[in-house]
Amino acid sequence: MTDKQSKAKGYWKENLKYLFILLAIWFMVSYCAGILFKDALDAIQVGGFKLGFWFAQQGSIYVFVILIFVYVKLMNKLDKKYGYDE
């Protein structure tokens, strides 16, 4: 395997690791907090709304948008690390 192929393989391995971690966070927020643990989270109030309801209606969307920005930042850092930045 050439150095270029090795570099590309390492790049994609790290990229997939980032994707898995970020999607796992989104899953935990959207599915677990919004559906599975909704009843337990409803005991907490945020701004007059039950926390489980908030996660189901708005929280998972906010977290998803934040994760997009985190992914962009991580990918820019990864691109510089492997020399793929422009």
Side-chain angles (χ1 to χ4, degrees):
M1 192 163 22
T2 67
D3 184 47
K4 190 175 184 178
Q5 289 173 328
S6 175
K7 191 166 93 170
K9 190 173 184 176
Y11 176 85
W12 282 108
K13 186 176 180 180
E14 283 192 57
N15 184 8
L16 290 175
K17 180 180 82 170
Y18 290 151
L19 280 173
F20 177 75
I21 291 169
L22 295 175
L23 286 174
I25 292 170
W26 188 41
F27 172 79
M28 294 297 292
V29 170
S30 64
Y31 186 73
C32 294
I35 297 172
L36 292 180
F37 304 124
K38 179 192 170 296
D39 294 333
L41 290 172
D42 279 346
I44 303 168
Q45 296 254 339
V46 174
F49 296 101
K50 296 177 180 179
L51 187 59
F53 172 78
W54 184 82
F55 270 117
Q57 298 301 315
Q58 296 175 356
S60 62
I61 296 169
Y62 290 149
V63 170
F64 182 66
V65 171
I66 291 168
L67 289 177
I68 290 171
F69 287 106
V70 169
Y71 180 72
V72 167
K73 184 172 175 116
L74 288 171
M75 289 310 297
N76 284 337
K77 196 166 123 180
L78 190 64
D79 286 348
K80 286 180 185 173
K81 178 179 175 182
Y82 284 94
Y84 293 123
D85 57 333
E86 296 179 337

